[in-house]
Amino acid sequence: MKTNLTLKLKTAIFSLLLMTAFAFPVEIFSQWSQVPVSAAPNDQTNPTIVSDGSGGAIMTWQDKRNGSTYDIYAQRMNSTGTPLWSANGVVICSADSSQINPRLVADGSGGAIICWEDKRNATGWDIYSQRVNSNGIVQWATNGLPVCTVVFEQDTLAMVGDGIGGAILTWQDYRSNNGFADIYAQRISTAGVMLWTANGVSICNQAAAQRGPKVLSDGTGGAFITWADNRAGNFDIYTQRISTGGAVQWTTNGVATCTMATDQLKPDICSDGAAGVIITWTDFRSTTDFNIYAQRQGPAGAIVWTVDGIVMNNNVAYEQTDPKIISDGVGGAIISWTDYRTGITADIYAQRVNSTGAVQWTATGIIICTATGDQIKSQLVSDGNSGAYIVWEDHRNAGNSDIYAQRIASNAAINWSANGVIISSAVHDQLNPMMVIDGNLGAIVVWQDFRNNSNYDIYAAGFNTSTGIINTSTLAEKYNLSQNYPNPFNPTTKIEFAITKQEFVSLKIYDIQGREAAVLVNGNLSSGTYSINWDAAKFQTGVYFYKLVTNSFSDTKKMMLVK
């Protein structure tokens, strides 16, 4: 008898602890459906994206719809994925010969400034620009304004807004005709006026190759520019600051960020939150494989951390490359990269570094995705809470490339499913994802897509996170949608439901006309009993319906809001 009583007591206590352990808010990944940005004939490739300032985004890409050469097109999507401009996009430039590799920045008025590499002149690739307004109407001369048209090539563009609706851009420039690229920059006003020296200001013309410039606003109308530099016989990292008037602020040809022996390549840059910068790069100082390093420099170029930088991945074996960096919002940064430490396939890892240069997560980096096949080309943006959304090109499904994403919190917690959630797994390849925050704690992703199996199109999807749903128990014997309580209510009410297995769950509110009023849940949930509050403070008195839909169950109930 005593044994049975003890067993029952232990069982009851275990059940109570189990229910308590799971009574916490969980995060739901929700996504508006993949939508075609452009499905015009022939190939559309190399998309990039910027926020429109209203929860949506403007995308631009190179486009072959008009024949054998590329033109530049653009499209604006609102926060729900609806195209706002002409079907398949508006033409930005359709001049003779090819226009490729567009970049863009927001103009602060719902439009964008777009720049690209342009072959219309026989002397080589030049830089041209165009502004498009919030309605998709180009604002400057047909086919754009010349930014730099000196002889020989100008390529490898990077751009940033100047803070007042204009843009600062930088590029590799071969005008010196010595076989090596230099770094030049130009500032463009909202009216299309080139504000600095014609054909650009020299950022670095050292007698050696300079490659891969990246640019960041300095917050005062100027910019920081960083690049890989071969002046010492191997590639190092150098950085320069340029003022709002186009005057270089630091040592001529730049300040050394890292001059360690052997190569340092592929720099990226973000703000340190204190008028300086944090720079990351891939580094071959070990002489056996590339690793990820970072350095902080102050507003005047002074080195803040250990000379030649701090390792972000503890020098693990094999290659780590292609780092991307964003500010964590509190003086440090989050970095993602492609990682070959298994010696077999590429994975995605990440690290956070604080303002003093101390790595905050596991010394070798946090796993973002180690699924089978290669994961490459990561991009990341802030999640609005000192963490990051990371998106990448994923080859786990044999023969295809898909797009996956993950959210990592400031404390290194992985918020979504291990190895990421699917953004797009349509048939055939999805490539080259680019991402921007949507201004509502979510993000919008754009990529080139081969799902029609004849040419590449441009597709996009948006995602965010829903919090506030409570998992009250993992013990659910049957599906159920309970009556809301209280009912009638003003202005909040609680809705409870149960599901018996892990699956996609939708819980939506509809008005008396059947129109969607709110989305409470739109993502994958594990088996359990859940509770969520609906705040109807912004809604009018009346009858509403709430509908639960899973792959296995559907139910609808009525409720009354009385104010």
Side-chain angles (χ1 to χ4, degrees):
M1 180 69 114
K2 182 178 180 182
T3 301
N4 289 339
L5 182 60
T6 302
L7 181 60
K8 289 180 180 180
L9 181 59
K10 288 181 177 179
T11 301
I13 292 172
F14 175 77
S15 297
L16 180 61
L17 290 173
L18 188 63
M19 292 176 68
T20 302
F22 286 94
F24 60 87
V26 296
E27 183 174 276
I28 307 301
F29 172 86
S30 60
Q31 176 181 352
W32 45 262
S33 299
Q34 307 162 47
V35 294
V37 177
S38 175
N42 302 322
D43 284 335
Q44 291 85 51
T45 57
N46 286 358
T48 190
I49 187 170
V50 69
S51 170
D52 69 354
S54 301
I58 299 172
M59 301 94 163
T60 187
W61 61 91
Q62 60 189 45
D63 194 305
K64 239 179 192 179
R65 73 182 70 181
N66 296 320
S68 60
T69 60
Y70 282 107
D71 299 319
I72 306 299
Y73 278 73
Q75 179 62 274
R76 183 182 177 192
M77 314 284 283
N78 68 13
S79 60
T80 63
T82 302
L84 299 178
W85 297 345
S86 302
N88 295 320
V90 297
V91 62
I92 300 299
C93 179
S94 58
D96 291 339
S97 299
S98 276
Q99 291 80 44
I100 62 172
N101 297 331
R103 298 292 183 265
L104 80 169
V105 297
D107 68 359
S109 302
I113 295 175
I114 302 172
C115 292
W116 62 90
E117 299 166 28
D118 195 302
K119 200 65 179 290
R120 71 183 72 178
N121 301 315
T123 55
W125 291 101
D126 297 319
I127 308 297
Y128 275 73
S129 63
Q130 181 61 270
R131 183 182 176 192
V132 59
N133 72 9
S134 60
N135 295 315
I137 301 170
V138 295
Q139 300 296 287
W140 301 340
T142 301
N143 290 324
L145 298 173
V147 176
C148 181
T149 57
V150 294
V151 295
F152 305 115
E153 311 291 342
Q154 289 81 48
D155 58 26
T156 315
L157 272 169
M159 286 182 70
V160 69
D162 69 356
I164 55 172
I168 297 172
L169 57 153
T170 184
W171 62 89
Q172 291 180 181
D173 195 302
Y174 291 84
R175 70 181 71 181
S176 64
N177 195 26
N178 61 6
F180 300 126
D182 299 319
I183 307 298
Y184 277 74
Q186 181 61 273
R187 182 180 172 201
I188 310 172
S189 75
T190 55
V193 176
M194 305 300 145
L195 297 175
W196 296 344
T197 303
N199 291 312
V201 172
S202 175
I203 300 300
C204 180
N205 61 3
Q206 191 78 25
Q210 287 85 45
R211 293 182 182 172
K214 295 293 179 68
V215 61
L216 175 75
S217 170
D218 70 358
T220 61
F224 300 98
I225 299 172
T226 189
W227 64 92
D229 193 301
N230 196 235
R231 70 182 71 179
N234 61 273
F235 280 100
D236 299 315
I237 306 300
Y238 276 74
T239 306
Q240 180 62 273
R241 184 175 185 180
I242 189 165
S243 73
T244 184
V248 294
Q249 301 296 287
W250 298 349
T251 304
T252 300
N253 290 324
V255 170
T257 302
C258 177
T259 56
M260 199 71 183
T262 69
D263 285 336
Q264 291 81 49
L265 299 165
K266 297 184 178 180
D268 199 13
I269 188 169
C270 76
S271 172
D272 68 354
V277 295
I278 300 174
I279 298 165
T280 186
W281 63 90
T282 185
D283 193 302
F284 198 64
R285 71 183 67 182
S286 74
T287 72
T288 58
D289 44 61
F290 281 100
N291 291 283
I292 306 301
Y293 276 74
Q295 179 61 271
R296 182 180 173 194
Q297 289 178 257
I303 296 297
V304 177
W305 297 343
T306 303
V307 173
D308 289 323
I310 295 170
V311 67
M312 295 291 106
N313 64 315
N314 203 30
N315 290 295
V316 296
Y318 300 107
E319 307 294 333
Q320 288 77 47
T321 187
D322 199 22
K324 299 293 185 293
I325 190 169
I326 59 166
S327 171
D328 68 0
V330 289
I334 297 174
I335 302 167
S336 69
W337 65 86
T338 300
D339 196 302
Y340 291 87
R341 69 184 64 186
T342 64
I344 302 172
T345 58
D347 300 314
I348 304 297
Y349 277 71
Q351 181 62 270
R352 183 180 179 192
V353 60
N354 71 8
S355 61
T356 66
V359 295
Q360 300 297 286
W361 299 341
T362 302
T364 54
I366 294 294
I367 292 171
I368 300 301
C369 182
T370 56
T372 58
D374 286 328
Q375 289 80 47
I376 59 176
K377 299 181 182 178
S378 68
Q379 302 287 328
L380 72 169
V381 296
S382 173
D383 70 351
N385 194 29
S386 298
Y389 296 121
I390 303 175
V391 67
W392 63 91
E393 184 180 305
D394 195 300
H395 296 258
R396 70 184 71 180
N397 298 318
N400 289 329
S401 175
D402 301 316
I403 309 298
Y404 276 72
Q406 182 60 270
R407 183 183 184 191
I408 187 166
S410 59
N411 65 356
I414 297 298
N415 290 141
W416 299 337
S417 304
N419 289 323
V421 296
I422 296 170
I423 300 296
S424 176
S425 60
V427 294
H428 307 300
D429 284 338
Q430 290 78 51
L431 304 170
N432 297 330
M434 300 295 286
M435 180 169 53
V436 68
I437 56 174
D438 66 3
N440 191 30
L441 301 182
I444 298 172
V445 185
V446 65
W447 65 90
Q448 66 187 61
D449 195 301
F450 202 66
R451 68 183 65 190
N452 71 17
N453 200 27
S454 62
N455 59 270
Y456 282 105
D457 299 317
I458 306 297
Y459 272 71
F463 64 82
N464 56 42
T465 57
S466 304
T467 57
I469 182 171
I470 305 297
N471 186 343
T472 61
S473 173
T474 59
L475 305 175
E477 296 180 356
K478 63 179 182 179
Y479 289 92
N480 181 59
L481 179 63
S482 299
Q483 186 63 51
N484 65 301
Y485 179 83
N487 189 39
F489 66 98
N490 179 29
T492 62
T493 188
K494 179 185 293 185
I495 300 171
E496 294 184 345
F497 63 92
I499 59 173
T500 63
K501 62 182 179 181
Q502 180 175 329
E503 59 184 322
F504 189 87
V505 177
S506 169
L507 178 61
K508 297 181 179 181
I509 309 294
Y510 298 89
D511 65 18
I512 193 66
Q513 304 297 324
R515 297 171 298 198
E516 184 180 296
V519 178
L520 302 186
V521 180
N522 192 47
N524 289 300
L525 291 180
S526 302
S527 170
T529 301
Y530 293 86
S531 173
I532 188 167
N533 290 325
W534 182 43
D535 186 346
K538 297 181 180 179
F539 293 87
Q540 297 179 346
T541 293
V543 174
Y544 292 84
F545 299 89
Y546 56 102
K547 183 176 184 179
L548 179 71
V549 177
T550 77
N551 295 331
S552 310
F553 177 78
S554 178
D555 194 11
T556 302
K557 293 189 181 296
K558 182 170 68 174
M559 57 184 170
M560 174 70 75
L561 171 62
V562 178
K563 292 187 174 182

